């Protein structure tokens, strides 16, 4: 099989313009126009409006290329398009060769009769805006009001038309590789790999699928199977193709584990299709040897929901992943690697790929295999109703097949899920306009998809929706079974302590907003007038309604009113971090009952106020450092009683506020740990007033509690509790807790100072300093720890990336 990737010689034409500009493929219309100076930065100020208007037009990509003579001699020639976004018409040498209308598919066109030595390929992309307007006028099928009307009618990333964190920027173009494939006799179309594990052995069953050129004839064909172990040892076996499926046994396999539970060894698999000594085609992949499913067994509370790897139930810790950029041409293996590295830095072992974007590139799954991050993969449906017409069914069946086959072999693939929030909204008839939409929901997610999953990926767990209790509109948000999206904190304006009222089995969405770093804000503003969270420009970069006001509402409940813009951003990020910490620590304390805490959301696709822990420019918010601590494999937390947990209004009488502490050590490792818990009552100067010590044994994959200690004499306005655990003489987890709101605690001004030596920064304080932030001038410093509490004294952190120039430091005391 011969392959010619079309990467060079592309140009882009706009229907309303006569000039031709250079294009980069893979890429997109917006990235080409921006690079060539034909449009302004769509993320700056309100340039989004002008960028959106550009998509009222059609765009044509043209590639002139020479085809080597040997390609023309092959019996078959195909044009393979792995990513066309979205409404495309293709012409080769003046002849129409096909159309496309689904960005989630791989499109293949027969071009044998059209291909020549010198060729011109034209791909015309029609306006997505005109299409959805016309489609909506004919059939007003509804969906999220955050997106443009009609978005449900096009198989294109929904969030391109707007979301409650996304802009209206429906980019277009050739966003994945496009190539000529020529072959004779036969080629490999796919290889199914199934695993069976028993008695310390792994048995692989491989079934190649072959496409024949002309009459099917497998008798003369052979398949060579090469398996390369992680240590480089290679075994090879030759089989007659007719004998498929082929079996290969691996003694003492090195098992793949999620991050924190073991290593991530990967075996190389190569299948070579041969006729005699002639190589017809090759297929290769890396696989991790493991068993992986989701346990939904019944238990004393209901039914559990737990990823189970190699027989071990995993507590999922991570976040929801959305498209990395509104401009698809900017996303590549390197940008994704940086994001996955940041996820690993925060001790994530799980990412949920949200269903309103697009199926990630192959490299996303490769990287998750390498880093040991489980992937919850939604199919691309979110917050919308759909009409299951024959044409739509044909399109989505091809989409399902392409993507299931493409990613099913990955070690990281934990489950595939039918949709985002559609069982919930269909059950409540939120966007339902006719009864047939309810019927079509069940057909799509509870008939077509499970049937195709069983056929194409029988070893990959399927879940009908998120949230769900298992389908059929049976209480999709039940607390004691399935997964939930919990939004009473934030959307429901409930206090952080509300998390402690629930014992969900698996939380696949919960979140809290904050503002991005000030340097990121400067990416979309150009004057001080814009640097006001209620300014026109700032609110254009806030897509969740009146959410800036909501942040301030929560702020008045928690902190004093910040009078400086940079301090306001800092305070908003602390709010977000504290809110999510409240939830995660609670869920981890009840491991076994709850088996997953997946935060909304990891990343942004443009500079915006949102729920992300990493902003669009890659800067880490306070939440990301907090996550590194509350997702630590061995973590101590304090379940305190005080003003916040009791919830008695400030001026209500009688006002009896119980004060107590109870500590929990969560051990998400495969071995028991002997630890020593130290905790102290301190005053605002950090001086120890009372000190306690307790030895604990934290069993593997469990959480253990101490007895509750009452502290009726503690002055909650001037005193607090610090705590930490030591293992083998080293502090592995620590924190502090207040018994009143931070705005009422009488912090004393700390004399914070920084010293740098090589790749280390030492911060010192003469008294208690909460959530100490160390930052450089570019606000892109990544440290081994940040936003931590200091009980006086000093702490040294390592510089992991960024230049230590213009260093500055602040603490909660500065929120005033």
């Amino acid at each position: 099989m011969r392959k010619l990737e079309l990467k060079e010689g592309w140009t882009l034409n706009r229907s309303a313009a006569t000039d031709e500009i250079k294009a980069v493929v893979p890429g997109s219309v917006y990235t080409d126009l921006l690079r060539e100076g034909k449009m302004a930065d769509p993320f700056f100020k309100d340039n989004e409006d002008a960028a959106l208007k550009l998509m009222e037009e059609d765009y044509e990509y043209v590639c002139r290329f020479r085809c080597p003579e040997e390609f023309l001699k092959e019996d078959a020639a195909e044009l393979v398009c792995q990513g066309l976004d979205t409404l495309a018409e293709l012409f080769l040498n003046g002849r129409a060769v096909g159309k496309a209308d689904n960005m989630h598919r791989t499109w293949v066109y027969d071009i044998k009769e059209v291909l020549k030595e010198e060729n011109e390929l034209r791909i015309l992309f029609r306006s997505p805006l005109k299409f959805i307007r016309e489609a909506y006028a004919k059939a007003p099928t509804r969906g999220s009001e955050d997106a443009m009307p009609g978005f449900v009618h096009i198989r294109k990333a929904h969030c391109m038309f707007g979301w409650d964190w996304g802009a209206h920027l429906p980019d277009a173009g050739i966003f994945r590789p496009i190539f000529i494939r020529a072959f004779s006799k036969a080629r490999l179309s796919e290889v199914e790999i199934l695993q069976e594990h028993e008695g310390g052995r792994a048995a692989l069953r491989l079934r190649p699928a072959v496409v024949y050129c002309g009459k099917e004839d497998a008798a003369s064909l052979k398949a060579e199977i090469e398996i390369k172990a992680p240590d480089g040892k290679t075994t090879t076996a030759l089989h007659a193709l007719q004998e498929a499926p082929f079996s290969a046994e691996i003694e003492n396999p090195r098992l793949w584990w999620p991050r924190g539970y073991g290593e991530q060894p990967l075996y190389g698999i190569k299948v070579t299709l041969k006729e005699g000594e002639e190589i017809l085609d090759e297929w290769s992949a890396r696989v991790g040897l493991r068993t992986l499913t989701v346990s939904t067994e019944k238990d004393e509370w209901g039914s559990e929901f737990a990823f189970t790897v190699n027989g071990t139930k995993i507590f999922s810790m991570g976040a929801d992943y959305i498209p990395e950029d509104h401009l698809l041409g900017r996303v590549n293996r390197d940008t994704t690697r940086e994001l996955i590295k940041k996820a690993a830095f925060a001790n994530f072992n799980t990412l949920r790929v949200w269903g309103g974007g697009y199926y990630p590139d192959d490299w996303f799954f490769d990287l998750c295999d390498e880093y040991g991050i489980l992937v919850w993969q939604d199919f691309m449906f979110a917050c919308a109703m759909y009409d299951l017409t024959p044409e739509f069914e044909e399109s989505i069946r091809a989409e399902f097949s392409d993507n299931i086959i493409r990613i099913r072999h990955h070690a990281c693939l934990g489950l595939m899920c039918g949709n985002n929030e559609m069982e919930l909204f269909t059950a409540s008839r939120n966007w339902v306009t006719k009864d047939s939409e309810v019927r079509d929901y069940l057909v799509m997610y509870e008939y077509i998809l499970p049937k195709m999953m069983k056929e194409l990926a029988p070893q990959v767990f399927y879940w009908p929706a998120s949230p769900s209790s298992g389908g059929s509109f049976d209480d999709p948000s039940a607390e004691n079974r399935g997964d939930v999206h919990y939004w009473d904190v934030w959307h429901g304006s409930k206090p952080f302590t509300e998390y402690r009222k629930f014992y969900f089995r698996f939380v696949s969405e919960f979140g809290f907003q904050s503002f991005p770093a000030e340097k990121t804000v400067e990416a979309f503003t150009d004057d001080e007038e814009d640097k006001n969270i209620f300014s026109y420009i700032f609110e254009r970069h806030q897509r969740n309604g009146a959410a800036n006001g909501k942040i301030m509402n929560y702020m008045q409940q928690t902190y004093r009113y910040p009078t400086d813009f940079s301090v306001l951003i800092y305070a908003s990020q602390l709010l977000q971090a504290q809110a999510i910490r409240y939830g995660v620590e609670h869920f981890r304390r009840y491991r076994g009952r709850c088996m997953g805490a997946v935060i909304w959301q990891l990343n942004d696709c443009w500079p915006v106020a949102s729920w992300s822990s990493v902003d669009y420019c890659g800067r880490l918010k306070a939440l990301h450092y907090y996550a590194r601590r509350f997702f630590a494999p061995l973590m101590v937390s304090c379940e305190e009683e005080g003003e916040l947990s009791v919830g008695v209004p400030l001026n209500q009488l009688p006002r009896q506020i119980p004060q107590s502490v109870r500590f929990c050590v969560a051990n998400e490792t495969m071995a028991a740990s002997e630890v020593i818990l130290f905790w102290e009552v301190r005053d605002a100067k950090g001086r120890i007033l009372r000190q306690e010590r307790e030895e604990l044994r934290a069993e593997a994959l469990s959480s253990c509690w101490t007895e509750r200690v009452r502290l009726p004499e503690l002055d909650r306005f001037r005193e607090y509790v610090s705590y930490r655990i030591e293992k083998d003489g080293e502090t592995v987890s620590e924190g502090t807790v207040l018994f009143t709101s931070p705005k009422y605690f009488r912090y004393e001004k700390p004399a914070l100072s920084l010293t740098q030596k090589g790749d280390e920064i030492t911060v010192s304080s003469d008294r208690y300093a909460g959530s100490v932030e160390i930052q450089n001038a570019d606000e892109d410093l990544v440290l081994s720890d940040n936003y931590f509490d200091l009980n006086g004294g000093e702490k040294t952190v390592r510089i992991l990336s960024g230049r230590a120039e213009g260093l500055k430091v602040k603490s909660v005391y500065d929120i005033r």
Side-chain angles (χ1 to χ4, degrees):
M1 198 271 287
R2 304 181 189 277
K3 178 178 174 180
L4 175 66
E5 185 169 356
L6 304 179
K7 295 190 294 185
E8 307 295 334
W10 286 94
T11 59
L12 175 66
N13 300 293
R14 181 159 44 122
S15 60
T18 57
D19 57 330
E20 186 177 75
I21 64 170
K22 180 182 177 182
V24 173
V25 172
S28 72
V29 168
Y30 278 152
T31 48
D32 287 334
L33 293 175
L34 187 59
R35 186 189 59 254
E36 298 300 315
K38 299 299 181 180
M39 68 178 288
D41 179 358
F43 298 162
F44 186 64
K45 294 178 83 75
D46 58 355
N47 287 349
E48 169 196 359
D49 295 342
L52 179 62
K53 289 179 181 177
L54 292 172
M55 283 300 150
E56 294 285 355
E57 302 178 27
D58 300 336
Y59 292 85
E60 185 178 61
Y61 280 86
V62 180
C63 179
R64 297 171 182 86
F65 66 96
R66 185 179 182 280
C67 185
E69 185 178 350
E70 54 268 26
F71 277 68
L72 303 176
K73 294 179 180 178
E74 300 287 359
D75 293 336
E78 298 168 331
L79 176 65
V80 182
C81 309
Q82 295 183 327
L84 297 177
D85 178 18
T86 292
L87 304 170
E89 300 169 18
L90 295 89
F91 304 87
L92 182 59
N93 299 324
R95 287 178 55 180
V97 295
K99 295 182 178 182
D101 59 4
N102 186 332
M103 77 174 290
H104 306 305
R105 289 179 56 179
T106 293
W107 295 89
V108 180
Y109 307 97
D110 182 358
I111 57 170
K112 173 61 181 174
E113 301 304 318
V114 190
L115 190 63
K116 302 187 296 186
E117 189 170 345
E118 299 293 336
N119 300 274
E120 181 186 73
L121 174 63
R122 295 189 297 117
I123 304 180
L124 177 63
F125 288 94
R126 297 295 185 182
S127 165
L129 297 182
K130 291 179 180 177
F131 178 87
I132 65 170
R133 267 199 310 273
E134 293 170 4
Y136 187 73
K138 295 176 183 176
T141 310
R142 297 177 58 215
S144 171
E145 290 78 10
D146 292 310
M148 301 173 71
F151 76 93
V152 303
H153 289 289
I154 185 171
R155 291 308 292 152
K156 179 177 173 67
H158 287 350
C159 61
M160 288 182 168
F161 296 99
W163 217 257
D164 58 2
W165 39 258
H168 303 104
L169 292 170
D171 202 357
I174 308 168
F175 71 100
R176 283 183 176 151
I178 179 171
F179 55 89
I180 306 296
R181 178 170 63 199
F183 64 99
S184 297
K185 299 174 185 175
R187 67 171 179 84
L188 293 167
S189 63
E190 59 176 279
V191 177
E192 179 187 61
I193 303 175
L194 300 179
Q195 302 183 28
E196 299 295 336
H197 293 255
E198 187 175 358
R201 294 192 302 180
L204 300 184
R205 190 174 71 202
L206 295 91
R207 186 190 300 273
V210 175
V211 174
Y212 295 90
C213 185
K215 183 179 178 181
E216 179 177 330
D217 181 14
S220 63
L221 301 182
K222 295 185 181 297
E224 182 180 87
I225 311 298
E226 178 184 290
I227 301 176
K228 186 175 182 180
D231 63 4
K233 183 179 179 181
T234 301
T235 59
T236 304
L238 190 64
H239 304 269
L241 185 64
Q242 292 175 318
E243 296 172 0
F246 314 123
S247 294
E249 288 200 356
I250 299 174
E251 297 283 349
N252 302 312
R254 292 184 58 192
L255 297 181
W256 183 95
W257 290 92
R259 189 174 191 82
Y261 298 83
E263 297 180 340
Q264 294 79 45
L266 296 171
Y267 287 73
I269 308 290
K270 184 166 79 169
V271 178
T272 304
L273 183 66
K274 290 184 171 183
E275 185 179 54
E277 294 301 311
E278 182 185 1
I279 295 176
L280 301 181
D281 199 4
E282 292 181 340
W283 179 95
S284 63
R286 294 184 306 168
V287 301
L289 303 182
R290 87 290 185 266
T291 62
L292 175 51
T293 188
V294 175
S295 173
T296 57
E297 293 179 3
K298 292 187 181 300
D299 58 19
E300 61 188 292
W301 301 289
S303 298
E304 69 180 359
F305 193 94
F307 284 108
T308 305
V309 182
N310 302 322
T312 297
K313 291 174 183 176
I314 304 300
F315 190 101
S316 290
M317 303 184 290
D320 295 276
Y321 166 92
I322 66 170
E324 294 175 37
D325 206 305
H326 265 306
L327 277 60
L328 297 189
R330 289 177 169 173
V331 180
N332 55 54
R333 180 182 290 270
D334 291 337
T335 62
T336 303
R337 180 179 290 277
E338 285 303 307
L339 192 57
I340 298 298
K341 284 170 62 177
K342 289 179 170 71
F345 168 83
N347 289 310
F348 288 13
N349 62 30
T350 303
L351 287 174
R352 172 178 171 248
V353 180
W354 172 74
Y358 61 96
Y359 303 92
D361 292 273
D362 292 337
W363 63 67
F364 171 86
F365 298 97
D366 290 338
L367 291 166
C368 289
D369 286 344
E370 292 174 18
Y371 281 87
I373 295 178
L374 293 171
V375 174
W376 171 314
Q377 175 67 58
D378 281 0
F379 286 93
M380 291 300 120
F381 302 93
C383 302
M385 304 309 300
Y386 305 91
D387 285 320
L388 190 62
T389 63
E391 295 79 13
F392 187 71
E393 180 177 347
E394 180 183 7
S395 178
I396 61 172
R397 280 182 177 272
E399 171 189 325
F400 299 158
S401 179
D402 285 350
N403 288 286
I404 293 170
I405 290 170
R406 179 171 67 92
I407 69 176
R408 65 188 175 187
H409 67 276
H410 282 279
C412 64
L413 185 60
L415 68 78
M416 297 190 77
C417 174
N419 64 80
N420 173 77
E421 298 185 340
M422 283 318 306
E423 183 182 0
L424 178 70
F425 288 127
T426 305
S428 64
R429 301 183 79 87
N430 195 60
W431 293 304
V432 174
T433 58
K434 51 190 176 183
D435 290 340
S436 62
E437 292 170 347
V438 179
R439 175 206 64 202
D440 290 348
Y441 174 91
L442 291 170
V443 173
M444 288 169 64
Y445 307 115
E446 299 192 19
Y447 177 73
I448 293 175
L449 264 172
K451 189 175 182 180
M452 291 187 68
M453 286 291 295
K454 186 175 181 180
E455 175 190 350
L456 299 175
Q459 293 186 333
V460 178
F461 185 85
Y462 175 73
W463 191 240
S466 181
S468 180
S469 296
S472 301
F473 309 125
D474 180 16
D475 194 2
S477 295
E479 180 180 356
N480 289 314
R481 51 203 168 102
D483 74 304
V484 300
H485 295 184
Y486 181 72
W487 284 104
D488 280 358
V489 177
W490 183 257
H491 287 308
S493 299
K494 295 289 183 68
F496 305 164
T497 50
E498 201 74 6
Y499 288 119
R500 293 185 181 177
K501 296 180 180 179
F502 300 96
Y503 302 88
F504 303 119
R505 311 315 303 267
F506 193 108
V507 194
S508 47
E509 276 192 25
F510 65 111
F512 196 95
Q513 274 206 7
S514 70
F515 303 125
E518 186 170 6
K519 284 294 182 183
T520 299
V521 170
E522 291 173 2
F524 63 83
T525 61
D526 64 354
D527 56 44
E528 292 303 312
E529 285 294 311
D530 293 341
K531 283 188 176 182
N532 183 305
I533 63 169
F534 299 118
S535 72
Y536 169 74
I537 293 300
F538 214 100
E539 292 198 334
R540 287 299 305 270
H541 289 255
Q542 165 60 270
R543 294 307 167 96
N544 183 218
N548 290 353
K550 181 168 288 189
I551 290 173
M552 296 309 295
N553 178 46
Y554 274 103
M555 192 167 295
Q556 67 87 19
Q557 298 174 41
T558 310
Y559 295 117
R560 296 189 179 191
Y561 195 86
T563 55
D564 177 86
F565 184 71
S566 64
V567 173
L568 173 62
I569 289 175
Y570 166 72
S572 81
Q573 293 192 10
L574 291 191
L575 273 176
Q576 178 190 37
Q578 294 285 7
I580 301 305
R581 178 187 65 83
Y582 241 90
V584 171
E585 289 183 351
H586 170 69
F587 300 138
R588 287 196 66 184
R589 290 172 195 144
Y590 292 90
R591 188 202 197 277
R593 189 169 182 179
C594 179
M595 290 301 290
V598 178
I599 303 163
W600 186 269
Q601 64 204 70
L602 171 61
N603 59 301
D604 287 325
C605 57
W606 74 310
V608 65
S610 81
W611 298 268
S612 70
S613 65
V614 179
D615 75 24
Y616 173 73
C617 294
R619 296 184 171 97
L620 305 188
K621 296 181 180 179
L623 172 58
H624 210 70
Y625 285 101
Y626 270 58
R628 180 170 165 84
R629 294 193 290 270
F630 60 58
F631 282 152
L634 197 60
M635 186 269 292
V636 62
S637 65
C638 177
E639 185 186 74
E640 86 295 345
E641 282 185 306
E643 281 188 325
L644 297 182
S645 61
V646 173
V648 178
L650 179 64
N651 294 309
Q652 179 177 310
L653 295 176
R655 195 165 189 266
Q656 300 296 320
I657 305 296
Q659 297 177 166
S660 70
V661 291
R662 186 166 69 132
F663 299 97
C664 181
V665 176
N667 181 8
E668 201 55 33
T669 74
M670 301 286 274
S673 287
E674 304 285 346
V675 300
I676 303 174
L677 167 68
F678 298 91
W679 66 273
E680 302 86 25
V681 176
R682 297 175 182 260
D683 64 16
K685 287 183 168 59
R687 296 179 301 197
I688 296 174
L689 307 179
R690 174 181 175 179
Q691 187 170 21
E692 302 290 343
R693 178 184 188 275
E694 184 174 349
E695 294 183 5
L696 298 169
R697 177 179 173 84
E699 298 295 341
L701 307 175
S702 71
S703 58
C704 66
W705 290 88
T706 65
E707 294 296 321
R708 185 170 294 281
V709 178
R710 305 289 174 184
L711 299 171
E713 304 303 319
L714 182 143
D715 180 349
R716 61 179 174 271
F717 301 109
R718 293 178 173 85
E719 296 170 2
Y720 69 101
V721 167
S722 62
Y723 54 91
R724 62 190 173 93
I725 53 171
E726 282 189 3
K727 181 182 179 184
D728 300 328
E730 179 183 352
T731 297
V732 294
S733 180
E734 60 185 327
T736 68
V737 64
L738 302 180
F739 298 84
T740 186
S741 176
K743 66 181 179 180
Y744 298 145
F745 188 79
R746 295 178 184 174
Y747 291 98
E748 297 183 9
K749 185 175 182 178
L752 291 168
S753 63
L754 297 174
T755 58
Q756 181 198 350
K757 185 176 181 180
D759 66 349
E760 292 185 336
I761 297 173
T762 299
V763 58
S764 61
S765 178
D766 61 342
R767 60 202 64 221
Y768 177 45
S771 296
V772 175
E773 177 200 64
I774 304 169
Q775 200 51 272
N776 63 347
D778 290 333
E779 298 186 339
D780 61 355
L781 203 60
V782 177
L783 303 173
S784 57
D785 198 9
N786 209 348
Y787 301 93
F788 49 79
D789 299 333
L790 265 182
N791 301 303
E794 65 180 34
K795 178 169 181 169
T796 298
V797 296
R798 288 179 294 109
I799 301 170
L800 304 181
S801 68
R803 295 180 297 179
E805 298 176 356
L807 292 178
K808 50 193 174 183
V809 62
K810 63 168 65 78
S811 73
V812 173
Y813 179 84
D814 296 302
I815 305 176
R816 57 187 59 232

